Coordinates of all heavy atoms in Angstrom, one line a residue:
L1 N 143.0 119.8 213.0 CA 141.6 120.4 213.0 C 141.5 121.2 211.6 O 142.4 122.0 211.3 CB 141.4 121.4 214.1 CG 140.1 122.2 214.1 CD1 139.0 121.3 214.4 CD2 140.2 123.2 215.2
L2 N 140.5 120.9 210.9 CA 140.2 121.5 209.6 C 138.9 122.3 209.7 O 138.0 121.9 210.3 CB 140.1 120.5 208.5 CG 141.3 119.6 208.2 CD1 140.9 118.6 207.2 CD2 142.5 120.5 207.7
D3 N 138.9 123.5 209.1 CA 137.7 124.3 209.1 C 137.3 124.6 207.6 O 138.1 125.1 206.9 CB 138.1 125.6 209.8 CG 137.0 126.7 209.6 OD1 135.8 126.4 209.5 OD2 137.4 127.9 209.5
T4 N 136.1 124.2 207.3 CA 135.7 124.3 205.9 C 135.4 125.7 205.4 O 135.1 126.0 204.2 CB 134.5 123.4 205.6 OG1 133.4 123.7 206.4 CG2 134.9 121.9 205.8
T5 N 135.3 126.7 206.3 CA 135.0 128.1 206.0 C 136.3 128.9 205.9 O 136.2 130.1 205.6 CB 134.0 128.7 206.9 OG1 134.6 128.7 208.2 CG2 132.7 127.9 207.0
G6 N 137.4 128.4 206.2 CA 138.7 129.1 206.1 C 139.1 129.9 207.3 O 140.1 130.6 207.2
L7 N 138.4 129.9 208.4 CA 138.7 130.7 209.6 C 140.0 130.1 210.2 O 140.9 130.9 210.6 CB 137.6 130.8 210.6 CG 136.3 131.5 210.0 CD1 135.2 131.3 211.0 CD2 136.6 132.9 209.8
V8 N 140.0 128.8 210.4 CA 141.1 128.1 211.1 C 142.1 127.6 210.1 O 143.3 127.5 210.3 CB 140.6 127.0 212.0 CG1 141.7 126.2 212.6 CG2 139.7 127.6 213.1
T9 N 141.5 127.2 208.9 CA 142.3 126.6 207.8 C 142.2 127.4 206.6 O 141.4 127.1 205.7 CB 141.8 125.2 207.6 OG1 141.6 124.5 208.8 CG2 142.8 124.4 206.7
P10 N 142.9 128.5 206.4 CA 142.8 129.4 205.3 C 143.0 128.7 203.9 O 142.4 129.2 203.0 CB 143.9 130.5 205.5 CG 144.2 130.4 207.0 CD 143.9 129.0 207.4
R11 N 143.7 127.6 203.9 CA 143.9 126.9 202.6 C 142.6 126.4 202.0 O 142.5 126.1 200.9 CB 145.0 125.9 202.7 CG 144.7 124.7 203.6 CD 145.9 123.7 203.7 NE 145.7 122.7 204.6 CZ 145.9 122.7 205.9 NH1 146.3 123.8 206.5 NH2 145.6 121.7 206.7
A12 N 141.6 126.2 202.9 CA 140.3 125.8 202.4 C 139.7 126.7 201.4 O 138.9 126.3 200.5 CB 139.3 125.6 203.6
L13 N 140.0 128.0 201.5 CA 139.4 129.0 200.7 C 139.7 128.8 199.2 O 139.0 129.1 198.3 CB 139.9 130.4 201.1 CG 139.4 130.9 202.5 CD1 140.1 132.2 202.9 CD2 137.9 130.9 202.6
A14 N 140.9 128.2 198.9 CA 141.3 127.9 197.5 C 140.3 126.9 196.9 O 140.3 126.8 195.6 CB 142.7 127.4 197.5
F15 N 139.6 126.1 197.6 CA 138.7 125.1 197.1 C 137.3 125.6 197.0 O 136.4 125.0 196.3 CB 138.7 123.9 198.0 CG 140.0 123.2 198.0 CD1 141.0 123.5 198.9 CD2 140.2 122.1 197.2 CE1 142.2 122.9 198.9 CE2 141.4 121.4 197.2 CZ 142.4 121.8 198.0
L16 N 137.0 126.8 197.6 CA 135.6 127.3 197.6 C 135.4 128.2 196.4 O 136.2 129.2 196.2 CB 135.3 128.0 198.9 CG 135.5 127.2 200.1 CD1 135.3 128.0 201.4 CD2 134.6 125.9 200.1
P17 N 134.3 128.0 195.6 CA 134.0 128.9 194.5 C 133.6 130.3 195.0 O 132.8 130.4 195.9 CB 132.9 128.2 193.7 CG 132.2 127.4 194.8 CD 133.3 127.0 195.8
A18 N 134.1 131.3 194.3 CA 133.7 132.7 194.6 C 132.2 132.9 194.2 O 131.8 132.8 193.1 CB 134.6 133.7 193.9
G19 N 131.4 133.2 195.2 CA 130.0 133.5 194.9 C 129.1 132.4 194.6 O 127.9 132.6 194.3
G20 N 129.6 131.2 194.6 CA 128.8 130.0 194.3 C 128.6 129.1 195.5 O 129.0 129.4 196.6
P21 N 127.8 128.0 195.3 CA 127.6 127.1 196.4 C 128.9 126.4 196.8 O 129.7 126.1 196.0 CB 126.6 126.0 195.8 CG 126.4 126.4 194.4 CD 127.2 127.6 194.0
A22 N 129.0 126.3 198.1 CA 130.3 125.9 198.7 C 130.4 124.3 198.8 O 131.5 123.8 198.9 CB 130.4 126.4 200.1
E23 N 129.3 123.6 198.7 CA 129.4 122.1 198.9 C 130.4 121.4 198.1 O 131.1 120.5 198.6 CB 128.0 121.5 198.8 CG 127.2 121.8 200.0 CD 125.9 121.0 200.1 OE1 126.0 119.8 200.6 OE2 124.9 121.5 199.6
E24 N 130.4 121.7 196.8 CA 131.3 121.0 195.9 C 132.8 121.3 196.3 O 133.6 120.4 196.3 CB 131.1 121.3 194.4 CG 131.9 120.5 193.5 CD 131.6 120.8 192.0 OE1 130.4 121.0 191.7 OE2 132.6 120.9 191.2
G25 N 133.1 122.5 196.6 CA 134.4 122.9 197.0 C 134.8 122.3 198.3 O 135.9 121.9 198.5
V26 N 133.8 122.2 199.3 CA 134.1 121.6 200.6 C 134.4 120.1 200.3 O 135.4 119.6 200.9 CB 132.9 121.7 201.5 CG1 133.0 120.8 202.7 CG2 132.7 123.2 201.9
R27 N 133.7 119.4 199.5 CA 134.0 118.0 199.2 C 135.4 117.9 198.6 O 136.2 117.0 199.0 CB 133.0 117.4 198.3 CG 133.4 115.9 198.1 CD 132.3 115.1 197.4 NE 132.9 113.8 197.2 CZ 132.2 112.7 197.3 NH1 131.0 112.7 197.7 NH2 132.7 111.5 197.0
R28 N 135.8 118.7 197.7 CA 137.1 118.7 197.1 C 138.2 118.9 198.1 O 139.2 118.3 198.2 CB 137.3 119.7 195.9 CG 136.6 119.3 194.7 CD 137.0 120.1 193.5 NE 137.1 121.6 193.7 CZ 136.0 122.4 193.6 NH1 134.9 122.0 193.1 NH2 136.2 123.7 193.8
F29 N 137.9 119.9 199.0 CA 138.9 120.2 200.1 C 139.0 119.0 201.0 O 140.1 118.6 201.4 CB 138.4 121.4 200.9 CG 139.2 121.7 202.2 CD1 140.5 122.1 202.1 CD2 138.6 121.6 203.4 CE1 141.2 122.3 203.2 CE2 139.3 121.9 204.6 CZ 140.6 122.3 204.4
L30 N 137.9 118.3 201.4 CA 138.0 117.1 202.3 C 138.7 116.0 201.6 O 139.5 115.3 202.2 CB 136.6 116.7 202.7 CG 135.8 117.7 203.6 CD1 134.4 117.2 203.7 CD2 136.5 117.8 204.9
E31 N 138.5 115.8 200.3 CA 139.2 114.8 199.5 C 140.7 115.0 199.5 O 141.5 114.1 199.5 CB 138.6 114.7 198.1 CG 137.2 114.0 198.1 CD 136.6 114.1 196.7 OE1 137.0 114.9 195.8 OE2 135.6 113.4 196.5
H32 N 141.0 116.3 199.4 CA 142.4 116.7 199.4 C 143.1 116.4 200.7 O 144.2 115.9 200.8 CB 142.6 118.1 199.0 CG 144.0 118.6 198.9 ND1 144.6 119.3 200.0 CD2 144.9 118.6 197.9 CE1 145.8 119.6 199.6 NE2 146.0 119.2 198.4
E33 N 142.4 116.8 201.8 CA 143.0 116.7 203.2 C 142.9 115.4 203.8 O 143.6 115.0 204.7 CB 142.4 117.8 204.1 CG 142.6 119.2 203.6 CD 144.1 119.6 203.8 OE1 144.7 119.2 204.7 OE2 144.6 120.5 203.0
K34 N 141.8 114.6 203.4 CA 141.5 113.3 203.9 C 141.5 113.2 205.5 O 142.3 112.4 206.1 CB 142.5 112.3 203.3 CG 142.4 112.2 201.8 CD 143.2 111.0 201.3 CE 143.1 110.9 199.8 NZ 142.2 111.6 199.0
P35 N 140.6 113.9 206.1 CA 140.5 113.8 207.6 C 139.9 112.4 207.9 O 139.2 111.8 207.1 CB 139.6 114.9 208.0 CG 138.8 115.1 206.8 CD 139.7 114.9 205.6
D36 N 140.2 111.9 209.2 CA 139.7 110.7 209.6 C 138.2 110.8 210.0 O 137.4 109.9 209.8 CB 140.5 110.1 210.8 CG 141.9 109.8 210.4 OD1 142.1 109.3 209.3 OD2 142.8 110.0 211.3
Y37 N 137.9 111.9 210.6 CA 136.5 112.2 211.0 C 136.1 113.6 210.6 O 136.9 114.5 210.4 CB 136.4 112.1 212.6 CG 136.5 110.7 213.1 CD1 137.7 110.1 213.4 CD2 135.3 109.9 213.2 CE1 137.8 108.8 213.8 CE2 135.4 108.6 213.7 CZ 136.7 108.1 214.0 OH 136.8 106.8 214.4
M38 N 134.8 113.8 210.5 CA 134.2 115.1 210.2 C 133.1 115.4 211.2 O 132.2 114.5 211.4 CB 133.8 115.2 208.8 CG 133.1 116.5 208.4 SD 132.7 116.6 206.6 CE 131.4 115.4 206.4
V39 N 133.0 116.6 211.7 CA 131.9 117.0 212.6 C 131.3 118.2 211.8 O 132.0 119.1 211.5 CB 132.4 117.4 214.0 CG1 131.2 117.9 214.8 CG2 133.1 116.3 214.7
M40 N 130.0 118.1 211.6 CA 129.4 119.3 210.9 C 127.9 119.4 211.3 O 127.3 118.5 211.8 CB 129.5 119.1 209.4 CG 128.6 118.1 208.8 SD 128.7 118.2 207.0 CE 127.5 117.1 206.5
L41 N 127.4 120.6 211.0 CA 126.0 120.9 211.1 C 125.4 120.5 209.7 O 125.7 121.2 208.7 CB 125.8 122.4 211.4 CG 126.3 122.9 212.7 CD1 126.5 124.4 212.7 CD2 125.5 122.4 213.8
P42 N 124.7 119.4 209.6 CA 124.2 118.9 208.3 C 123.4 119.9 207.5 O 123.4 119.9 206.3 CB 123.3 117.7 208.7 CG 123.9 117.3 210.0 CD 124.3 118.5 210.7
N43 N 122.7 120.9 208.1 CA 122.0 121.8 207.4 C 122.9 122.8 206.6 O 122.4 123.5 205.7 CB 121.0 122.6 208.2 CG 121.6 123.5 209.3 OD1 122.4 123.0 210.1 ND2 121.3 124.7 209.3
W44 N 124.2 122.9 207.0 CA 125.1 123.8 206.2 C 125.4 123.2 204.9 O 125.5 124.0 203.9 CB 126.4 124.0 207.0 CG 126.4 125.0 208.0 CD1 125.3 125.4 208.8 CD2 127.5 125.9 208.4 NE1 125.7 126.4 209.7 CE2 127.0 126.7 209.4 CE3 128.8 125.9 208.0 CZ2 127.8 127.7 210.0 CZ3 129.6 126.9 208.6 CH2 129.1 127.7 209.6
Y45 N 125.5 121.9 204.8 CA 125.9 121.2 203.6 C 124.9 120.0 203.4 O 125.3 118.9 203.5 CB 127.3 120.7 203.6 CG 128.3 121.8 204.0 CD1 129.1 121.7 205.1 CD2 128.5 122.9 203.2 CE1 130.1 122.6 205.4 CE2 129.4 123.9 203.5 CZ 130.2 123.7 204.6 OH 131.1 124.7 204.9
P46 N 123.6 120.3 203.0 CA 122.6 119.2 203.0 C 122.9 118.1 202.0 O 122.7 116.9 202.3 CB 121.3 119.9 202.7 CG 121.7 121.3 202.2 CD 123.1 121.6 202.7
H47 N 123.5 118.4 200.8 CA 123.8 117.4 199.8 C 125.0 116.6 200.3 O 125.0 115.3 200.2 CB 124.1 118.0 198.5 CG 122.9 118.8 197.9 ND1 121.6 118.3 197.9 CD2 122.8 120.0 197.4 CE1 120.8 119.1 197.3 NE2 121.5 120.2 197.0
L48 N 126.0 117.2 200.9 CA 127.1 116.5 201.4 C 126.7 115.6 202.6 O 127.2 114.5 202.7 CB 128.2 117.5 201.9 CG 129.5 117.0 202.2 CD1 130.2 116.4 201.0 CD2 130.4 118.2 202.7
A49 N 125.8 116.1 203.4 CA 125.3 115.3 204.5 C 124.6 114.0 204.1 O 124.6 113.0 204.8 CB 124.4 116.1 205.4
Q50 N 124.0 114.0 202.9 CA 123.3 112.9 202.4 C 124.2 111.9 201.7 O 123.8 110.7 201.5 CB 122.2 113.3 201.5 CG 121.3 114.3 202.1 CD 119.8 113.9 202.2 OE1 119.5 113.0 201.5 NE2 119.1 114.5 203.0
Q51 N 125.3 112.3 201.3 CA 126.2 111.4 200.5 C 126.8 110.3 201.4 O 127.3 110.6 202.5 CB 127.3 112.2 199.8 CG 126.8 113.1 198.8 CD 127.8 114.0 198.2 OE1 129.0 113.9 198.6 NE2 127.4 114.8 197.2
R52 N 126.7 109.1 201.0 CA 127.2 108.0 201.8 C 128.4 107.3 201.2 O 128.9 106.3 201.7 CB 126.2 106.9 202.1 CG 124.9 107.4 202.8 CD 125.2 107.5 204.3 NE 124.0 107.7 205.0 CZ 123.7 108.9 205.6 NH1 124.4 109.9 205.5 NH2 122.5 109.0 206.3
D53 N 128.9 107.8 200.0 CA 130.0 107.1 199.3 C 131.3 107.3 199.9 O 132.2 106.5 199.7 CB 130.0 107.6 197.8 CG 130.2 109.1 197.7 OD1 129.8 109.8 198.6 OD2 130.9 109.5 196.7
F54 N 131.5 108.3 200.8 CA 132.8 108.5 201.4 C 132.8 108.7 202.9 O 133.9 108.9 203.5 CB 133.5 109.7 200.7 CG 132.9 111.0 201.1 CD1 133.6 111.9 202.0 CD2 131.7 111.4 200.6 CE1 133.0 113.1 202.3 CE2 131.1 112.6 200.9 CZ 131.8 113.5 201.8
R55 N 131.7 108.5 203.5 CA 131.7 108.7 205.0 C 130.5 107.9 205.5 O 129.5 107.7 204.9 CB 131.6 110.2 205.4 CG 130.4 110.9 204.7 CD 129.8 111.8 205.6 NE 128.5 112.2 205.0 CZ 127.3 111.6 205.3 NH1 127.3 110.5 206.1 NH2 126.2 112.0 204.8
Q56 N 130.6 107.6 206.8 CA 129.6 106.9 207.6 C 129.2 107.6 208.8 O 130.1 108.1 209.6 CB 130.1 105.5 208.0 CG 130.4 104.6 206.8 CD 129.1 104.3 206.0 OE1 128.1 104.0 206.5 NE2 129.2 104.3 204.7
P57 N 127.9 107.8 209.1 CA 127.5 108.5 210.3 C 128.0 107.7 211.6 O 127.9 106.5 211.6 CB 126.0 108.5 210.2 CG 125.6 108.1 208.8 CD 126.8 107.4 208.3
V58 N 128.4 108.4 212.6 CA 128.9 107.8 213.8 C 128.0 108.2 215.0 O 127.6 107.4 215.8 CB 130.4 108.2 214.1 CG1 130.8 107.7 215.5 CG2 131.3 107.7 213.0
Y59 N 127.7 109.5 215.0 CA 126.9 110.1 216.1 C 126.2 111.3 215.7 O 126.7 112.1 214.8 CB 127.9 110.4 217.3 CG 127.2 110.8 218.5 CD1 126.6 109.9 219.4 CD2 127.2 112.2 218.9 CE1 125.9 110.4 220.5 CE2 126.6 112.6 220.1 CZ 126.0 111.7 220.9 OH 125.4 112.1 222.0
E60 N 125.0 111.5 216.2 CA 124.3 112.8 215.9 C 123.6 113.2 217.2 O 123.1 112.4 218.0 CB 123.2 112.5 214.8 CG 122.5 113.8 214.4 CD 121.6 113.5 213.2 OE1 122.0 113.4 212.1 OE2 120.4 113.3 213.5
I61 N 123.5 114.5 217.4 CA 122.9 115.1 218.5 C 122.0 116.2 218.1 O 122.4 117.0 217.2 CB 123.9 115.5 219.6 CG1 123.2 115.9 220.9 CG2 124.8 116.6 219.1 CD1 124.2 116.2 222.1
T62 N 120.9 116.3 218.7 CA 120.0 117.5 218.5 C 120.3 118.5 219.7 O 120.3 118.1 220.8 CB 118.5 117.1 218.5 OG1 118.3 116.1 217.5 CG2 117.6 118.3 218.4
I63 N 120.5 119.7 219.3 CA 120.9 120.7 220.3 C 119.6 121.4 220.7 O 118.9 122.1 220.0 CB 121.8 121.8 219.6 CG1 123.1 121.1 219.1 CG2 122.2 122.9 220.7 CD1 123.9 122.0 218.2
E64 N 119.2 121.1 221.9 CA 118.0 121.7 222.5 C 118.2 123.1 223.0 O 119.3 123.4 223.4 CB 117.5 120.8 223.6 CG 117.1 119.4 223.2 CD 116.5 118.6 224.3 OE1 115.9 119.1 225.2 OE2 116.6 117.3 224.2
H65 N 117.2 123.9 222.8 CA 117.3 125.3 223.3 C 118.5 126.0 222.6 O 119.2 126.8 223.3 CB 117.4 125.4 224.8 CG 116.4 124.6 225.5 ND1 115.0 124.8 225.5 CD2 116.5 123.5 226.3 CE1 114.4 123.9 226.2 NE2 115.3 123.1 226.7
N66 N 118.7 125.7 221.4 CA 119.8 126.3 220.6 C 119.7 127.8 220.5 O 118.7 128.3 220.0 CB 119.8 125.7 219.2 CG 121.0 126.2 218.3 OD1 121.9 126.8 218.8 ND2 120.9 125.9 217.1
T67 N 120.7 128.5 220.9 CA 120.7 130.0 220.8 C 122.0 130.5 220.1 O 122.1 131.7 219.8 CB 120.6 130.7 222.2 OG1 121.7 130.3 223.0 CG2 119.3 130.3 222.8
V68 N 123.0 129.6 219.9 CA 124.2 130.1 219.3 C 124.7 129.3 218.1 O 125.5 129.8 217.4 CB 125.4 130.1 220.4 CG1 125.1 131.1 221.5 CG2 125.6 128.7 220.9
C69 N 124.2 128.1 217.9 CA 124.7 127.3 216.8 C 123.9 127.6 215.5 O 122.7 128.0 215.6 CB 124.6 125.8 217.1 SG 125.8 125.3 218.3
A70 N 124.5 127.4 214.4 CA 123.8 127.7 213.1 C 122.9 126.5 212.6 O 122.6 126.4 211.4 CB 124.9 128.0 212.0
G71 N 122.5 125.7 213.5 CA 121.7 124.5 213.2 C 121.3 123.8 214.5 O 122.1 123.9 215.5
D72 N 120.3 123.0 214.4 CA 119.9 122.3 215.6 C 120.5 120.8 215.7 O 120.3 120.2 216.7 CB 118.4 122.2 215.7 CG 117.7 123.5 216.0 OD1 118.4 124.4 216.6 OD2 116.6 123.7 215.7
K73 N 121.1 120.4 214.7 CA 121.7 119.0 214.7 C 123.2 119.2 214.4 O 123.7 119.9 213.6 CB 121.1 118.2 213.6 CG 119.7 117.8 214.0 CD 119.2 116.6 213.1 CE 117.8 116.3 213.6 NZ 117.3 115.1 213.1
L74 N 124.0 118.3 215.2 CA 125.4 118.2 215.0 C 125.7 116.8 214.8 O 125.2 115.9 215.5 CB 126.1 118.7 216.3 CG 127.6 118.8 216.2 CD1 128.1 119.9 215.2 CD2 128.2 119.2 217.6
A75 N 126.5 116.5 213.7 CA 126.7 115.1 213.3 C 128.2 114.8 213.2 O 129.0 115.7 212.8 CB 126.0 114.8 212.0
V76 N 128.6 113.6 213.6 CA 130.0 113.1 213.5 C 130.0 112.0 212.4 O 129.1 111.1 212.5 CB 130.5 112.6 214.8 CG1 131.9 112.1 214.7 CG2 130.4 113.6 215.9
Y77 N 130.9 112.1 211.5 CA 131.1 111.1 210.5 C 132.5 110.5 210.5 O 133.5 111.2 210.6 CB 130.8 111.7 209.1 CG 129.5 112.3 209.0 CD1 129.3 113.7 209.1 CD2 128.3 111.6 208.7 CE1 128.1 114.3 209.0 CE2 127.1 112.2 208.6 CZ 127.0 113.5 208.7 OH 125.7 114.1 208.6
K78 N 132.6 109.2 210.2 CA 133.9 108.6 210.0 C 134.1 108.6 208.5 O 133.2 108.1 207.7 CB 133.9 107.1 210.5 CG 135.3 106.5 210.3 CD 135.4 105.2 211.1 CE 136.7 104.4 210.8 NZ 137.9 105.2 210.7
M79 N 135.2 109.1 208.1 CA 135.5 109.2 206.7 C 136.1 107.9 206.1 O 136.9 107.3 206.8 CB 136.5 110.4 206.4 CG 136.0 111.7 207.1 SD 134.3 112.2 206.6 CE 134.7 112.9 205.0
G80 N 135.8 107.6 204.9 CA 136.3 106.3 204.3 C 137.0 106.6 203.0 O 136.5 106.4 202.0
W81 N 138.2 107.0 203.2 CA 139.0 107.3 202.0 C 139.6 106.0 201.5 O 140.3 105.8 200.6 CB 140.1 108.4 202.3 CG 139.5 109.6 202.9 CD1 139.7 110.0 204.2 CD2 138.7 110.6 202.4 NE1 139.1 111.2 204.5 CE2 138.4 111.5 203.3 CE3 138.1 110.7 201.1 CZ2 137.6 112.6 203.1 CZ3 137.3 111.8 200.9 CH2 137.0 112.8 201.9

């Protein structure tokens, strides 16, 4: 399990720019770790969610009556390294 914010995977923090947009650092972290799948809230990383060069959508769900998640959509991607 990898966490792109560093809570579960502190080594991710080394890839994230201090005070800047996280998406480029998240992509570098994923390229380094090469997970088979990724689950994310696409609104957290909108540019990364749109890129199709390294991942393919597998499943997406809309969270109805969302009161605790940081977005209403959750997506699963198969990574293609």
Side-chain angles (χ1 to χ4, degrees):
L1 176 68
L2 300 173
D3 166 36
T4 59
T5 62
L7 297 172
V8 175
T9 314
R11 65 185 177 273
L13 297 174
F15 293 85
L16 303 178
E23 283 192 85
E24 186 177 318
V26 168
R27 179 168 176 143
R28 284 194 316 269
F29 174 63
L30 294 171
E31 288 172 344
H32 180 264
E33 297 291 327
K34 297 191 180 352
D36 294 324
Y37 289 88
M38 176 173 67
V39 178
M40 75 171 184
L41 298 161
N43 67 304
W44 276 34
Y45 308 118
H47 299 311
L48 191 62
Q50 304 241 344
Q51 296 174 358
R52 300 280 192 253
D53 60 327
F54 71 106
R55 53 142 196 90
Q56 295 296 317
V58 174
Y59 185 76
E60 184 175 281
I61 187 170
T62 299
I63 304 165
E64 296 183 28
H65 313 293
N66 179 17
T67 59
V68 296
C69 292
D72 289 336
K73 290 194 179 197
L74 186 64
V76 179
Y77 304 98
K78 180 168 176 42
M79 308 304 280
W81 308 110

